[in-house]
Amino acid sequence: MRHDTGSHPERAARIAAIERELAARDWCGFDPRPSAPATLSELHAVHPETHVARIRALAATGGGMIDADTIVSAGSWDAALHAAGGAVAVVDELCSGRARRAVSLHRPPGHHCETAQPMGFCLLNNVAVAARRARDAFRVERTMIFDWDVHHGNGTAEIFAGSSDVLFCSIHGSPLYPGTGPVDEIGHGAGAGFTVNLPVPPGSGDDVWTSLVDAVVLPVAREYQPQLILVSGGYDAHREDPLADCEVSDDGFARIARSVHALGNELGVPVGMVLEGGYAVDALARSVATTLEAWAQPAPAPPDVPDAPPYVVEQLRAAHARRWSILRRDGAAASA
Ligand SMILES: [Zn+2]
């Protein structure tokens, strides 16, 4: 709440609305608790000291603009530490076996923040800090990050582009800020194939989003066999969101959450979520609640594999057939 961005869409009212909605639903069966700040060593597993010190110093002098979209206020350093710390706490709960599902509901968001460049409302890359915590503290060798925010998680993609120990899958609107994330951007070196970008056109709604989850994200995950699934949970693909043009409904987000829940159950691995965007505050609060409600229920059976949208199938085959058998011509996702 002390990350003061004024009238910016990424504002404190988002968290207040989520808290109100979850409190009214008795926290959907979850156990709410405050998070500790991340430690500097946890941050430095992702970001260089110069990056971290820059944000800290800007906040200490009262704040300022990093770019036209990215604001630092006097309270932003503390807020950013707790946002990263919440993501770390999710990993600690999940990887210690204390919880099977956990969520971190903090701001500022994180997925646009690159290794050494805050941008797009994001100061520290919370989900990346979480993934590195899982590797460093719990020896997790394969983490899947599924980014369902409507914007491409360029920061997370950049941080893990050369890594095979993190599989990054993103569904995002295109064309849309930040303009990255084409299908043929697949990572490089040891990370080649471990970035799976699924851009969708403006107007894409529940059917497009859920078909990509069930026909591409889940099958690729089965092949990767992650030991941990982390969701970069943005809710700005919602039809009410003012910053993007997708048409996902509350029920669409519930369907996506159930599919990821089923995946975690099927693979026997824990699932966590770190809040990213979502700027229609009422829709954001409702949709976060539907995610928690879905995850508080017994996991459903894995969804049927639908045909992936044809427009993306040929590009997926061309980009990813070397790495993922599921995306070869005879793979299930390629049946459309
Ligand atoms: Zn977003």
Side-chain angles (χ1 to χ4, degrees):
M1 303 299 285
R2 294 197 296 274
H3 174 52
D4 181 3
T5 54
S7 59
H8 191 282
E10 199 296 287
R11 60 194 189 277
R14 301 175 61 231
I15 297 297
I18 291 170
E19 285 195 341
R20 266 197 314 276
E21 186 73 27
L22 294 180
R25 302 191 197 197
D26 199 21
W27 296 88
C28 307
F30 279 68
D31 173 20
R33 62 185 70 168
S35 57
T39 66
L40 290 178
S41 69
E42 287 159 359
L43 301 183
H44 291 157
V46 173
H47 301 295
E49 288 187 40
T50 48
H51 172 110
V52 174
R54 174 187 178 196
I55 296 163
R56 184 180 203 166
L58 191 54
T61 56
M65 305 292 286
I66 292 203
D67 61 39
D69 281 324
T70 312
I71 298 167
V72 171
S73 72
S76 296
W77 167 247
D78 198 37
L81 280 184
H82 281 271
V88 166
V90 161
V91 164
D92 288 359
E93 289 297 304
L94 296 175
C95 292
S96 66
R98 289 192 294 268
R100 299 299 287 168
R101 302 290 181 267
V103 300
S104 174
L105 301 171
H106 278 275
R107 50 183 293 279
H111 72 150
H112 293 306
C113 181
E114 299 180 346
T115 301
Q117 183 60 55
M119 60 178 279
F121 323 163
C122 302
L123 304 179
L124 301 169
N125 194 311
N126 306 315
V127 79
V129 170
R132 284 310 180 217
R133 171 70 178 174
R135 178 195 65 180
D136 296 342
F138 298 97
R139 300 172 186 268
V140 172
E141 295 173 351
R142 291 180 308 283
T143 296
M144 175 185 186
I145 298 176
F146 172 29
D147 187 327
W148 73 46
D149 188 284
V150 77
H151 302 99
H152 180 238
N154 61 291
T156 315
E158 182 265 338
I159 289 164
F160 297 117
S163 303
S164 61
D165 60 355
V166 173
L167 168 66
F168 178 69
C169 293
S170 173
I171 306 177
H172 47 271
S174 177
L176 189 65
Y177 180 90
T180 50
V183 173
D184 62 3
E185 181 184 291
I186 64 167
H188 53 71
F194 295 94
T195 297
V196 178
N197 285 319
L198 301 165
V200 298
S204 296
D206 294 353
D207 288 346
V208 168
W209 280 72
T210 59
S211 69
L212 285 174
V213 173
D214 295 345
V216 180
V217 177
L218 266 58
V220 168
R222 289 186 184 103
E223 200 166 330
Y224 183 65
Q225 290 284 314
Q227 296 158 297
L228 171 68
I229 299 169
L230 296 175
V231 172
S232 260
Y235 292 84
D236 38 13
H238 198 284
R239 57 169 57 134
E240 294 175 23
D241 198 275
L243 296 194
D245 298 316
C246 280
E247 300 289 337
V248 177
S249 68
D250 293 19
D251 184 57
F253 280 111
R255 287 166 63 188
I256 294 168
R258 283 197 295 273
S259 287
V260 176
H261 191 30
L263 174 68
N265 186 60
E266 175 191 337
L267 299 179
V269 301
V271 181
M273 186 182 86
V274 175
L275 182 66
E276 301 288 358
Y279 306 101
V281 291
D282 292 339
L284 166 68
R286 294 193 314 268
S287 301
V288 168
T290 67
T291 301
L292 269 65
E293 286 181 341
W295 287 1
Q297 301 294 316
D304 295 334
V305 177
D307 290 340
Y311 68 87
V312 80
V313 166
E314 284 302 326
Q315 291 180 66
L316 277 170
R317 284 174 177 158
H320 282 292
R322 280 177 62 135
R323 176 66 65 190
W324 306 110
S325 64
I326 194 70
L327 297 178
R328 287 175 201 141
R329 192 160 289 276
D330 56 351
S335 62

PDB file of all heavy atoms in Angstrom, residues 108-131:
ATOM      1  N   PRO A 108       4.552  -3.794  -6.034  1.00  0.00           N
ATOM      2  CA  PRO A 108       4.448  -3.803  -7.499  1.00  0.00           C
ATOM      3  C   PRO A 108       4.607  -5.205  -8.090  1.00  0.00           C
ATOM      4  O   PRO A 108       5.202  -6.070  -7.470  1.00  0.00           O
ATOM      5  CB  PRO A 108       5.626  -2.909  -7.928  1.00  0.00           C
ATOM      6  CG  PRO A 108       6.617  -3.013  -6.823  1.00  0.00           C
ATOM      7  CD  PRO A 108       5.786  -3.121  -5.571  1.00  0.00           C
ATOM      8  N   PRO A 109       4.045  -5.353  -9.348  1.00  0.00           N
ATOM      9  CA  PRO A 109       4.237  -6.607 -10.068  1.00  0.00           C
ATOM     10  C   PRO A 109       5.702  -6.737 -10.521  1.00  0.00           C
ATOM     11  O   PRO A 109       6.524  -5.869 -10.228  1.00  0.00           O
ATOM     12  CB  PRO A 109       3.284  -6.482 -11.252  1.00  0.00           C
ATOM     13  CG  PRO A 109       3.130  -5.008 -11.457  1.00  0.00           C
ATOM     14  CD  PRO A 109       3.268  -4.378 -10.102  1.00  0.00           C
ATOM     15  N   GLY A 110       6.019  -7.827 -11.232  1.00  0.00           N
ATOM     16  CA  GLY A 110       7.429  -8.075 -11.501  1.00  0.00           C
ATOM     17  C   GLY A 110       7.828  -8.530 -12.888  1.00  0.00           C
ATOM     18  O   GLY A 110       8.990  -8.397 -13.260  1.00  0.00           O
ATOM     19  N   HIS A 111       6.893  -9.058 -13.694  1.00  0.00           N
ATOM     20  CA  HIS A 111       7.348  -9.860 -14.841  1.00  0.00           C
ATOM     21  C   HIS A 111       7.959  -9.073 -15.986  1.00  0.00           C
ATOM     22  O   HIS A 111       8.583  -9.671 -16.868  1.00  0.00           O
ATOM     23  CB  HIS A 111       6.221 -10.791 -15.339  1.00  0.00           C
ATOM     24  CG  HIS A 111       5.104 -10.091 -16.055  1.00  0.00           C
ATOM     25  ND1 HIS A 111       4.374 -10.709 -17.047  1.00  0.00           N
ATOM     26  CD2 HIS A 111       4.581  -8.841 -15.917  1.00  0.00           C
ATOM     27  CE1 HIS A 111       3.451  -9.868 -17.492  1.00  0.00           C
ATOM     28  NE2 HIS A 111       3.547  -8.742 -16.825  1.00  0.00           N
ATOM     29  N   HIS A 112       7.788  -7.743 -16.012  1.00  0.00           N
ATOM     30  CA  HIS A 112       8.477  -6.952 -17.047  1.00  0.00           C
ATOM     31  C   HIS A 112       9.911  -6.602 -16.656  1.00  0.00           C
ATOM     32  O   HIS A 112      10.683  -6.138 -17.496  1.00  0.00           O
ATOM     33  CB  HIS A 112       7.722  -5.649 -17.326  1.00  0.00           C
ATOM     34  CG  HIS A 112       6.385  -5.855 -17.973  1.00  0.00           C
ATOM     35  ND1 HIS A 112       6.226  -6.587 -19.131  1.00  0.00           N
ATOM     36  CD2 HIS A 112       5.137  -5.449 -17.610  1.00  0.00           C
ATOM     37  CE1 HIS A 112       4.933  -6.612 -19.448  1.00  0.00           C
ATOM     38  NE2 HIS A 112       4.250  -5.936 -18.547  1.00  0.00           N
ATOM     39  N   CYS A 113      10.256  -6.755 -15.397  1.00  0.00           N
ATOM     40  CA  CYS A 113      11.582  -6.345 -14.942  1.00  0.00           C
ATOM     41  C   CYS A 113      12.638  -7.334 -15.422  1.00  0.00           C
ATOM     42  O   CYS A 113      12.575  -8.520 -15.108  1.00  0.00           O
ATOM     43  CB  CYS A 113      11.606  -6.239 -13.417  1.00  0.00           C
ATOM     44  SG  CYS A 113      13.201  -5.708 -12.786  1.00  0.00           S
ATOM     45  N   GLU A 114      13.603  -6.830 -16.188  1.00  0.00           N
ATOM     46  CA  GLU A 114      14.678  -7.678 -16.701  1.00  0.00           C
ATOM     47  C   GLU A 114      15.800  -7.791 -15.668  1.00  0.00           C
ATOM     48  O   GLU A 114      15.733  -7.201 -14.592  1.00  0.00           O
ATOM     49  CB  GLU A 114      15.201  -7.098 -18.017  1.00  0.00           C
ATOM     50  CG  GLU A 114      14.114  -7.044 -19.094  1.00  0.00           C
ATOM     51  CD  GLU A 114      14.604  -6.481 -20.425  1.00  0.00           C
ATOM     52  OE1 GLU A 114      15.705  -5.882 -20.459  1.00  0.00           O
ATOM     53  OE2 GLU A 114      13.877  -6.648 -21.420  1.00  0.00           O
ATOM     54  N   THR A 115      16.836  -8.513 -16.019  1.00  0.00           N
ATOM     55  CA  THR A 115      17.971  -8.719 -15.119  1.00  0.00           C
ATOM     56  C   THR A 115      18.440  -7.389 -14.506  1.00  0.00           C
ATOM     57  O   THR A 115      18.636  -7.306 -13.285  1.00  0.00           O
ATOM     58  CB  THR A 115      19.144  -9.365 -15.884  1.00  0.00           C
ATOM     59  OG1 THR A 115      18.699 -10.602 -16.431  1.00  0.00           O
ATOM     60  CG2 THR A 115      20.331  -9.612 -14.962  1.00  0.00           C
ATOM     61  N   ALA A 116      18.601  -6.400 -15.337  1.00  0.00           N
ATOM     62  CA  ALA A 116      19.169  -5.131 -14.871  1.00  0.00           C
ATOM     63  C   ALA A 116      18.354  -3.931 -15.327  1.00  0.00           C
ATOM     64  O   ALA A 116      18.889  -2.826 -15.426  1.00  0.00           O
ATOM     65  CB  ALA A 116      20.616  -5.003 -15.352  1.00  0.00           C
ATOM     66  N   GLN A 117      17.070  -4.133 -15.628  1.00  0.00           N
ATOM     67  CA  GLN A 117      16.258  -3.019 -16.119  1.00  0.00           C
ATOM     68  C   GLN A 117      14.832  -3.082 -15.590  1.00  0.00           C
ATOM     69  O   GLN A 117      14.014  -3.861 -16.088  1.00  0.00           O
ATOM     70  CB  GLN A 117      16.226  -3.014 -17.656  1.00  0.00           C
ATOM     71  CG  GLN A 117      15.469  -1.840 -18.246  1.00  0.00           C
ATOM     72  CD  GLN A 117      16.071  -0.495 -17.838  1.00  0.00           C
ATOM     73  OE1 GLN A 117      17.255  -0.250 -18.046  1.00  0.00           O
ATOM     74  NE2 GLN A 117      15.268   0.367 -17.214  1.00  0.00           N
ATOM     75  N   PRO A 118      14.511  -2.260 -14.566  1.00  0.00           N
ATOM     76  CA  PRO A 118      13.109  -2.139 -14.171  1.00  0.00           C
ATOM     77  C   PRO A 118      12.318  -1.466 -15.283  1.00  0.00           C
ATOM     78  O   PRO A 118      12.829  -0.547 -15.949  1.00  0.00           O
ATOM     79  CB  PRO A 118      13.165  -1.248 -12.914  1.00  0.00           C
ATOM     80  CG  PRO A 118      14.490  -0.557 -12.971  1.00  0.00           C
ATOM     81  CD  PRO A 118      15.406  -1.391 -13.813  1.00  0.00           C
ATOM     82  N   MET A 119      11.086  -1.912 -15.504  1.00  0.00           N
ATOM     83  CA  MET A 119      10.230  -1.296 -16.534  1.00  0.00           C
ATOM     84  C   MET A 119       8.805  -1.813 -16.355  1.00  0.00           C
ATOM     85  O   MET A 119       8.559  -2.773 -15.611  1.00  0.00           O
ATOM     86  CB  MET A 119      10.740  -1.621 -17.949  1.00  0.00           C
ATOM     87  CG  MET A 119      10.795  -3.111 -18.292  1.00  0.00           C
ATOM     88  SD  MET A 119      11.347  -3.446 -19.990  1.00  0.00           S
ATOM     89  CE  MET A 119       9.817  -3.160 -20.913  1.00  0.00           C
ATOM     90  N   GLY A 120       7.863  -1.150 -17.048  1.00  0.00           N
ATOM     91  CA  GLY A 120       6.494  -1.657 -17.111  1.00  0.00           C
ATOM     92  C   GLY A 120       5.847  -1.875 -15.750  1.00  0.00           C
ATOM     93  O   GLY A 120       5.211  -2.897 -15.521  1.00  0.00           O
ATOM     94  N   PHE A 121       5.971  -0.914 -14.870  1.00  0.00           N
ATOM     95  CA  PHE A 121       5.417  -0.916 -13.499  1.00  0.00           C
ATOM     96  C   PHE A 121       6.207  -1.832 -12.552  1.00  0.00           C
ATOM     97  O   PHE A 121       5.826  -1.977 -11.394  1.00  0.00           O
ATOM     98  CB  PHE A 121       3.937  -1.334 -13.395  1.00  0.00           C
ATOM     99  CG  PHE A 121       2.999  -0.892 -14.483  1.00  0.00           C
ATOM    100  CD1 PHE A 121       1.762  -1.508 -14.640  1.00  0.00           C
ATOM    101  CD2 PHE A 121       3.296   0.169 -15.329  1.00  0.00           C
ATOM    102  CE1 PHE A 121       0.864  -1.115 -15.629  1.00  0.00           C
ATOM    103  CE2 PHE A 121       2.405   0.575 -16.320  1.00  0.00           C
ATOM    104  CZ  PHE A 121       1.195  -0.077 -16.470  1.00  0.00           C
ATOM    105  N   CYS A 122       7.246  -2.510 -13.046  1.00  0.00           N
ATOM    106  CA  CYS A 122       7.907  -3.585 -12.291  1.00  0.00           C
ATOM    107  C   CYS A 122       9.313  -3.162 -11.857  1.00  0.00           C
ATOM    108  O   CYS A 122      10.117  -2.704 -12.680  1.00  0.00           O
ATOM    109  CB  CYS A 122       8.001  -4.836 -13.157  1.00  0.00           C
ATOM    110  SG  CYS A 122       6.391  -5.448 -13.736  1.00  0.00           S
ATOM    111  N   LEU A 123       9.618  -3.347 -10.583  1.00  0.00           N
ATOM    112  CA  LEU A 123      10.916  -2.928 -10.033  1.00  0.00           C
ATOM    113  C   LEU A 123      11.848  -4.114  -9.820  1.00  0.00           C
ATOM    114  O   LEU A 123      13.060  -3.998 -10.028  1.00  0.00           O
ATOM    115  CB  LEU A 123      10.698  -2.179  -8.714  1.00  0.00           C
ATOM    116  CG  LEU A 123       9.765  -0.960  -8.804  1.00  0.00           C
ATOM    117  CD1 LEU A 123       9.612  -0.316  -7.428  1.00  0.00           C
ATOM    118  CD2 LEU A 123      10.268   0.056  -9.826  1.00  0.00           C
ATOM    119  N   LEU A 124      11.314  -5.214  -9.336  1.00  0.00           N
ATOM    120  CA  LEU A 124      12.061  -6.458  -9.140  1.00  0.00           C
ATOM    121  C   LEU A 124      11.232  -7.571  -9.768  1.00  0.00           C
ATOM    122  O   LEU A 124      10.002  -7.515  -9.732  1.00  0.00           O
ATOM    123  CB  LEU A 124      12.246  -6.757  -7.642  1.00  0.00           C
ATOM    124  CG  LEU A 124      12.979  -5.701  -6.814  1.00  0.00           C
ATOM    125  CD1 LEU A 124      12.847  -6.018  -5.317  1.00  0.00           C
ATOM    126  CD2 LEU A 124      14.455  -5.633  -7.207  1.00  0.00           C
ATOM    127  N   ASN A 125      11.892  -8.579 -10.325  1.00  0.00           N
ATOM    128  CA  ASN A 125      11.127  -9.657 -10.945  1.00  0.00           C
ATOM    129  C   ASN A 125      10.806 -10.726  -9.898  1.00  0.00           C
ATOM    130  O   ASN A 125      11.584 -11.637  -9.640  1.00  0.00           O
ATOM    131  CB  ASN A 125      11.873 -10.259 -12.131  1.00  0.00           C
ATOM    132  CG  ASN A 125      10.946 -11.122 -12.980  1.00  0.00           C
ATOM    133  OD1 ASN A 125      10.230 -11.964 -12.446  1.00  0.00           O
ATOM    134  ND2 ASN A 125      10.932 -10.885 -14.268  1.00  0.00           N
ATOM    135  N   ASN A 126       9.630 -10.583  -9.304  1.00  0.00           N
ATOM    136  CA  ASN A 126       9.264 -11.413  -8.151  1.00  0.00           C
ATOM    137  C   ASN A 126       9.247 -12.907  -8.485  1.00  0.00           C
ATOM    138  O   ASN A 126       9.743 -13.724  -7.713  1.00  0.00           O
ATOM    139  CB  ASN A 126       7.892 -10.978  -7.619  1.00  0.00           C
ATOM    140  CG  ASN A 126       7.839  -9.488  -7.312  1.00  0.00           C
ATOM    141  OD1 ASN A 126       8.760  -8.948  -6.714  1.00  0.00           O
ATOM    142  ND2 ASN A 126       6.780  -8.811  -7.748  1.00  0.00           N
ATOM    143  N   VAL A 127       8.656 -13.262  -9.613  1.00  0.00           N
ATOM    144  CA  VAL A 127       8.541 -14.689  -9.929  1.00  0.00           C
ATOM    145  C   VAL A 127       9.915 -15.282 -10.253  1.00  0.00           C
ATOM    146  O   VAL A 127      10.182 -16.458  -9.955  1.00  0.00           O
ATOM    147  CB  VAL A 127       7.509 -14.931 -11.059  1.00  0.00           C
ATOM    148  CG1 VAL A 127       8.084 -14.621 -12.436  1.00  0.00           C
ATOM    149  CG2 VAL A 127       6.958 -16.352 -11.009  1.00  0.00           C
ATOM    150  N   ALA A 128      10.798 -14.465 -10.824  1.00  0.00           N
ATOM    151  CA  ALA A 128      12.155 -14.958 -11.093  1.00  0.00           C
ATOM    152  C   ALA A 128      12.916 -15.162  -9.789  1.00  0.00           C
ATOM    153  O   ALA A 128      13.650 -16.155  -9.632  1.00  0.00           O
ATOM    154  CB  ALA A 128      12.898 -13.967 -11.997  1.00  0.00           C
ATOM    155  N   VAL A 129      12.751 -14.240  -8.852  1.00  0.00           N
ATOM    156  CA  VAL A 129      13.379 -14.411  -7.537  1.00  0.00           C
ATOM    157  C   VAL A 129      12.857 -15.696  -6.890  1.00  0.00           C
ATOM    158  O   VAL A 129      13.622 -16.466  -6.289  1.00  0.00           O
ATOM    159  CB  VAL A 129      13.105 -13.182  -6.643  1.00  0.00           C
ATOM    160  CG1 VAL A 129      13.541 -13.425  -5.201  1.00  0.00           C
ATOM    161  CG2 VAL A 129      13.822 -11.946  -7.218  1.00  0.00           C
ATOM    162  N   ALA A 130      11.568 -15.961  -7.049  1.00  0.00           N
ATOM    163  CA  ALA A 130      10.975 -17.181  -6.487  1.00  0.00           C
ATOM    164  C   ALA A 130      11.579 -18.428  -7.125  1.00  0.00           C
ATOM    165  O   ALA A 130      11.917 -19.394  -6.441  1.00  0.00           O
ATOM    166  CB  ALA A 130       9.460 -17.163  -6.670  1.00  0.00           C
ATOM    167  N   ALA A 131      11.711 -18.412  -8.453  1.00  0.00           N
ATOM    168  CA  ALA A 131      12.271 -19.584  -9.141  1.00  0.00           C
ATOM    169  C   ALA A 131      13.712 -19.835  -8.705  1.00  0.00           C
ATOM    170  O   ALA A 131      14.129 -20.993  -8.531  1.00  0.00           O
ATOM    171  CB  ALA A 131      12.196 -19.390 -10.655  1.00  0.00           C
TER     172      ALA A 131
END
